[in-house]
């Protein structure tokens, strides 16, 4: 009788472990480690995709994110140029994008690593010319002067003129 109870007990433990393993795996992938700005949803590098071009967000130097609206909707981008075009193309569908409470972030091109990212409001930072994932060729760079970089509006106009 003792062996039967032991088998049942061991079987119950095994079933419980199998049921909890996927839950534990899912929860461990949700950690933010506090490295994201307040309000920004974490980017899962090489897995999250750009909402506009569907490319995986891999090159951290050009990543961007937009968050806002009544449902606090999040859109992620692999290139600031994709963000610029998304804002133009989807303005009618998502009128809240022009609301001042809509939050946007763009990665600083000079961030040291994925674990030490610096994020800026794309409308407040300056841009330098760098080869980017989608060929819009701008990277955000904090602390740049007028002669070395362009404003958001200049970058936006040049990106839209380039097309795609």
């Amino acid at each position: 009788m003792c062996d039967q109870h032991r088998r049942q007990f061991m079987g119950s433990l095994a079933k419980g472990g199998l049921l909890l393993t996927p839950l534990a795996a899912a929860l461990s992938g949700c950690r933010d480690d506090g490295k994201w700005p307040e309000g920004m949803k974490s980017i899962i590098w090489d897995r999250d995709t750009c909402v506009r071009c569907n490319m995986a967000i891999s090159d951290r130097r050009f990543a961007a994110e937009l968050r806002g609206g009544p449902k606090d909707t999040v859109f992620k981008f692999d290139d600031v140029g994709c963000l610029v075009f998304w804002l133009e193309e989807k303005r009618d569908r998502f009128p809240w994008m022009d609301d001042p409470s809509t939050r946007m972030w763009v990665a600083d091109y000079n961030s040291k690593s994925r674990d030490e990212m610096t994020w800026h409001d794309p409308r407040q930072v300056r841009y330098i010319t760098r080869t980017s994932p989608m060929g819009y060729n701008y990277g955000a760079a904090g602390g740049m002067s007028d002669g070395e970089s362009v404003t958001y509006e200049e970058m936006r106009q040049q990106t839209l003129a380039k097309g795609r």
Side-chain angles (χ1 to χ4, degrees):
M1 189 69 132
C2 195
D3 285 336
Q4 184 180 4
H5 288 298
R6 189 175 340 151
R7 274 190 234 121
Q8 286 177 337
F9 177 73
M10 295 303 278
S12 296
L13 281 178
K15 287 179 191 173
L18 290 175
L19 291 174
L20 291 176
T21 300
L23 177 62
L27 291 176
S28 68
C30 295
R31 293 187 346 216
D32 279 345
D33 295 331
K35 64 183 178 181
W36 303 97
E38 184 179 335
M40 185 176 181
K41 185 166 173 40
S42 62
I43 295 173
I44 303 171
W45 305 109
D46 302 315
R47 283 203 353 218
D48 282 344
T49 57
C50 176
V51 69
R52 182 166 189 268
C53 70
N54 293 318
M55 278 185 58
I57 303 172
S58 298
D59 194 334
R60 61 170 171 73
R61 301 170 300 168
F62 301 97
E65 185 173 302
L66 167 79
R67 186 172 197 166
K71 296 182 180 177
D72 210 23
T73 306
V74 174
F75 297 112
K76 298 176 184 180
F77 305 89
D78 68 327
D79 190 308
V80 71
C82 285
L83 169 65
V84 166
F85 272 99
W86 183 263
L87 290 169
E88 287 295 312
E89 295 165 350
K90 304 298 181 179
R91 184 166 272 114
D92 292 339
R93 184 171 173 201
F94 303 106
W96 52 261
M97 289 192 297
D98 290 327
D99 189 283
S101 66
T102 298
R103 294 166 291 173
M104 291 188 261
W105 299 270
V106 65
D108 191 303
Y109 179 83
N110 296 309
S111 292
K112 294 184 182 356
S113 72
R114 289 180 177 179
D115 294 325
E116 296 181 39
M117 296 291 296
T118 301
W119 296 93
H120 304 284
D121 180 325
R123 300 160 290 196
Q124 305 300 318
V125 71
R126 297 187 67 84
Y127 293 85
I128 55 176
T129 303
R130 294 293 186 269
T131 302
S132 68
M134 292 303 296
Y136 296 113
N137 299 334
Y138 285 103
M144 300 302 287
S145 64
D146 291 355
E148 304 171 294
S149 58
V150 297
T151 66
Y152 172 77
E153 192 54 37
E154 291 169 318
M155 179 276 297
R156 181 182 160 280
Q157 292 297 330
Q158 291 171 18
T159 298
L160 293 172
K162 189 183 290 189
R164 281 192 253 161

